[in-house]
């Protein structure tokens, strides 16, 4: 079965410290992987995407993610958290593209402590 | 930058009533999607639409739901007889024709069924 798992429902970090949001997937195929961010009462914004090119992907607002096939992981990182990063983050997988919809993880709520 | 738009931003309806949620896709995108996010839960795929017909649908997309592109511009989701559990945020998305499976999301319509 194909699935995506976000390992933490909540992550709390202090402003200026690193952020790590974890994501693992299960698939028989090589998936396309995305991270989306949702700020309170807002829509979904694409942070970054992996589509079988470089395994280290850089996104907007200083976020990065590394695709590790051996670990079936696609963890999201940022060296230094900012208060404006507080939001819900979704790891998202496209297993076949096109007609099939995206599969979302349950989300990780990122809290930034001042 | 082109974007997906959705109207209304918020819809309140009584149980048993019909609602139509509207989306204007990005003009050169060919696949369209509807997703649902119940408050506090993950985003769930409902249906994909290509070449004026449904391509795929999830088990959530039962007979009370329908989609159409009535005028070559709008893409609509109709819920025939709303239930309390239909209360959710509904997102429209379109697929970029770039081959990397990136979907662009609209801002969402918050549906409240009373």
């Amino acid at each position: 079965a194909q699935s995506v798992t976000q390992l933490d429902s909540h992550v709390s970090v202090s402003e200026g410290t690193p952020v790590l949001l974890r994501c693992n997937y299960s698939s028989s195929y090589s998936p396309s992987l995305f991270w989306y961010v949702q700020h309170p009462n807002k829509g979904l914004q694409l942070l970054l995407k992996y589509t079988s090119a470089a395994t280290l992907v850089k996104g907007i607002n200083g976020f990065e993610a590394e695709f590790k096939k051996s670990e079936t992981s696609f963890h999201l990182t940022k060296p230094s958290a900012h208060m404006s990063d507080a939001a819900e983050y979704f790891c998202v997988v496209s297993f076949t593209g096109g007609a099939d919809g995206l599969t979302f993880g349950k989300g990780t709520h990122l809290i930034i402590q001042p | 930058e082109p974007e997906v738009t959705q109207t209304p931003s918020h819809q309140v309806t009584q149980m048993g009533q019909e609602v139509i949620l509207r989306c204007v896709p990005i003009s050169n995108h060919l696949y369209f999607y509807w997703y649902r996010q119940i408050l506090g839960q993950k985003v769930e795929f409902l249906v994909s639409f290509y070449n004026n017909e449904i391509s795929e649908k999830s088990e959530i997309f039962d007979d009370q739901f329908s989609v159409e592109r009535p005028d070559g511009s709008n893409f609509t989701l109709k819920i025939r007889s709303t239930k309390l559990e239909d209360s959710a945020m509904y997102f429209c998305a379109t697929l970029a024709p770039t081959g990397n499976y990136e979907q662009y999301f609209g801002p969402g319509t918050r549906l409240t069924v009373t």
Side-chain angles (χ1 to χ4, degrees), chain B residues 51-101:
Chain B
N51 201 25
N52 286 319
E53 60 183 30
I54 290 174
S55 294
E56 295 289 337
K57 58 183 181 179
S58 71
E59 58 189 25
I60 302 169
F61 194 87
D62 60 23
D63 291 344
Q64 70 163 149
F65 292 96
S66 62
V67 290
E68 65 175 355
R69 201 170 187 212
D71 56 12
S73 175
N74 288 287
F75 174 52
T76 63
L77 174 69
K78 182 190 291 185
I79 309 175
R80 261 180 275 282
S81 177
T82 50
K83 304 189 284 275
L84 293 175
E85 53 265 39
D86 294 326
S87 295
M89 182 73 90
Y90 289 82
F91 292 104
C92 174
T94 65
L95 181 68
T98 55
N100 63 6
Y101 309 143

Side-chain angles (χ1 to χ4, degrees), chain B residues 7 20 24 26 29 35 38 44 46 64 66 96 105:
Chain B
T7 55
I20 297 176
V24 178
I26 296 173
H29 290 191
Y35 292 84
I38 295 171
E44 300 171 292
L46 292 178
Q64 70 163 149
S66 62
F105 283 80

Side-chain angles (χ1 to χ4, degrees), chain A residues 4 32 34 36 38 41-44 46 49-51 90 94 96-107, chain B residues 31 33 35 37 40-45 47-48 55-56 89 91 95 99-108 110:
Chain A
V4 56
S32 294
F34 310 86
Y36 281 84
Q38 185 180 33
N41 300 313
K42 299 288 186 184
L44 295 158
L46 180 68
K49 59 181 183 273
Y50 166 78
T51 54
F90 293 97
S94 175
T96 60
D100 288 353
L102 299 174
T103 300
F104 281 72
K106 291 186 177 181
Chain B
Y31 271 98
Y33 309 81
Y35 292 84
Q37 185 184 29
Q41 299 186 24
K42 68 177 180 179
V43 178
E44 300 171 292
F45 167 71
V47 65
S48 63
S55 294
E56 295 289 337
M89 182 73 90
F91 292 104
L95 181 68
N100 63 6
Y101 309 143
E102 179 178 348
Q103 293 187 18
Y104 289 75
F105 283 80
R110 180 169 298 284

